[in-house]
Amino acid sequence: MKPIFGRGPSLQLRLFLAILLSASLMLADSRLGAFANIRYLLNSAVAPLQYAANLPREMLDVLRGQFSSHQRLLTENKALKRDLLVMKSNVLLLDQLQQENQRLRSLLGSPFVRDERKMVAEVMAVDSDPYSYQVMINKGRVDGVYEGQPVINDKGIVGQVSYVGAHNSRVLLLIDPTNAIPVQVVRNDIRVIATGGGRNHQILLEHVPSSTDIKKGDLLVSSGLGGRYPEGYPVARVTSFSFDNKRPFAQITAKATVQFDRLRYLLLVWPTDRVKMSTEPAVTEAAPATVVEPLVAPVVAPVTTTTTTAPVVPASNKVNHANQ
């Protein structure tokens, strides 16, 4: 009996033809890109299904993110409230300690007070001279700024005003080699003279005998001698102390507490003895308006020069006071 359907090719031949066809299609797709458009159309058709399948996971991620953000905000809010309560209690204690300190100092007759007048100033420009360390601020003579006025920030002493214009001023930074400040060691109240190192926020302590009790890590604050800088503000921290028997003085370096490459907002300080003077007509009268010169044009006078508004003790006298 003859079968209805004729017998087809063998299974081995079918497998060989399928493998040959598959290899031909893969070669044509990889070498010629014949199926790029077809793949693009198929991918576009399948994309909605992929988005639909991924939608539950995205919704869960959004809900989890909102819940975690809410929990994080609640936790941060509680922590901030707790920190605020602690800070308020510290402020209350600080006020009490300040009043007690003022009463004790009044009994001792100490002139150390903390009622200076302060004004916020913003840095406008930085001196481009590599051998000079100065910045320009947006306060001038019309604001009561005077030459030699101390400038601080939240870290410590920044420097002093070296030039006053009508509406801006130039500040000589503490690390400038021409700047000097009398300081004292917090640990033992030893008084020395500190000068700017000119680089890397470095402060140098000069004319200090090798037998002086100064150690690495000692904090240096302004001593108030000379009447230029107010007493008690941080200046630097000692980083190295070395001496040579062939030299009469030790080599002491310190790192300034202020980051001079990140200055933005500064505080102009009027010492107590100048607060009343700043309100008198003789002081508030301004000279004829002068044109502000370029930042690097004027030559900065050394810190040891005196001004007509605030007599300053020469640097040599500061050294004598420090060695006493």
Side-chain angles (χ1 to χ4, degrees):
M1 180 177 178
K2 187 177 180 179
I4 299 176
F5 300 99
R7 186 176 180 182
S10 63
L11 295 178
Q12 292 80 1
L13 181 58
R14 292 179 184 179
L15 178 61
F16 176 75
L17 293 177
I19 293 175
L20 182 61
L21 179 61
S22 300
S24 301
L25 293 177
M26 289 188 293
L27 182 62
D29 184 43
S30 62
R31 297 294 182 180
L32 303 177
F35 301 98
N37 295 331
I38 298 175
R39 188 184 301 106
Y40 176 77
L41 293 176
L42 292 176
N43 188 21
S44 300
V46 176
L49 298 178
Q50 294 176 343
Y51 282 110
N54 195 36
L55 184 61
R57 185 183 66 83
E58 292 184 351
M59 295 179 61
L60 291 176
D61 291 341
V62 172
L63 293 176
R64 184 178 59 184
Q66 291 181 352
F67 181 75
S68 62
S69 299
H70 182 67
Q71 289 295 114
R72 186 173 64 253
L73 290 176
L74 290 177
T75 304
E76 292 179 356
N77 191 18
K78 291 181 180 179
L80 290 175
K81 287 182 178 180
R82 184 172 59 253
D83 294 341
L84 180 61
L85 181 61
V86 174
M87 294 299 295
K88 285 184 177 180
S89 63
N90 291 338
V91 169
L92 295 176
L93 181 61
L94 179 63
D95 293 338
Q96 180 182 358
L97 294 176
Q98 184 177 4
Q99 294 176 1
E100 182 180 357
N101 189 21
Q102 291 179 354
R103 288 194 297 268
L104 293 175
R105 290 187 176 276
S106 63
L107 292 175
L108 296 174
S110 174
F112 182 75
V113 292
R114 272 291 175 270
D115 56 352
E116 302 100 345
R117 173 193 168 197
K118 298 180 178 68
M119 177 186 294
V120 179
E122 185 176 358
V123 175
M124 300 172 56
V126 179
D127 197 345
S128 59
D129 186 356
Y131 301 102
S132 178
Y133 297 85
Q134 303 182 50
V135 295
M136 185 76 76
I137 59 176
N138 62 345
K139 300 296 181 181
R141 193 176 300 275
V142 297
D143 302 297
V145 181
Y146 62 91
E147 291 186 5
Q149 183 173 6
V151 182
I152 65 173
N153 68 352
D154 58 334
K155 301 296 183 181
I157 292 183
V158 175
Q160 62 174 317
V161 177
S162 60
Y163 170 80
V164 181
H167 300 282
N168 54 15
S169 302
R170 187 176 295 108
V171 177
L172 183 68
L173 300 182
L174 200 62
I175 57 175
D176 192 277
T178 62
N179 205 350
I181 176 175
V183 297
Q184 66 182 14
V185 182
V186 174
R187 180 170 56 87
N188 49 20
D189 292 336
I190 293 179
R191 293 184 175 89
V192 293
I193 300 297
T195 59
R199 58 185 177 87
N200 300 329
H201 310 308
Q202 192 178 62
I203 301 295
L204 304 177
L205 303 184
E206 299 180 344
H207 307 100
V208 179
S210 58
S211 59
T212 305
D213 184 16
I214 296 179
K215 300 179 180 179
K216 181 179 179 181
D218 284 342
L219 178 63
L220 306 176
V221 298
S222 55
S223 64
L225 296 178
R228 177 62 57 89
Y229 296 97
E231 180 184 356
Y233 285 99
V235 175
R237 191 174 292 275
V238 177
T239 56
S240 66
F241 182 95
S242 61
F243 63 91
D244 187 356
N245 294 330
K246 298 179 181 180
R247 297 182 179 180
F249 302 109
Q251 292 79 46
I252 306 176
T253 59
K255 184 178 181 181
T257 57
V258 176
Q259 296 180 338
F260 293 96
D261 54 348
R262 301 180 183 180
L263 295 178
R264 180 65 185 277
Y265 296 101
L266 307 177
L267 283 175
L268 294 165
V269 180
W270 279 263
T272 308
D273 56 350
R274 296 190 63 95
V275 171
K276 295 182 179 180
M277 295 175 59
S278 62
T279 59
E280 296 178 357
V283 175
T284 56
E285 290 180 357
T290 56
V291 179
V292 179
E293 301 176 0
L295 185 58
V296 298
V299 178
V300 179
V303 69
T304 55
T305 57
T306 59
T307 60
T308 57
T309 56
V312 180
V313 178
S316 60
N317 292 340
K318 295 179 183 180
V319 176
N320 293 333
H321 283 296
N323 294 331
Q324 288 179 356

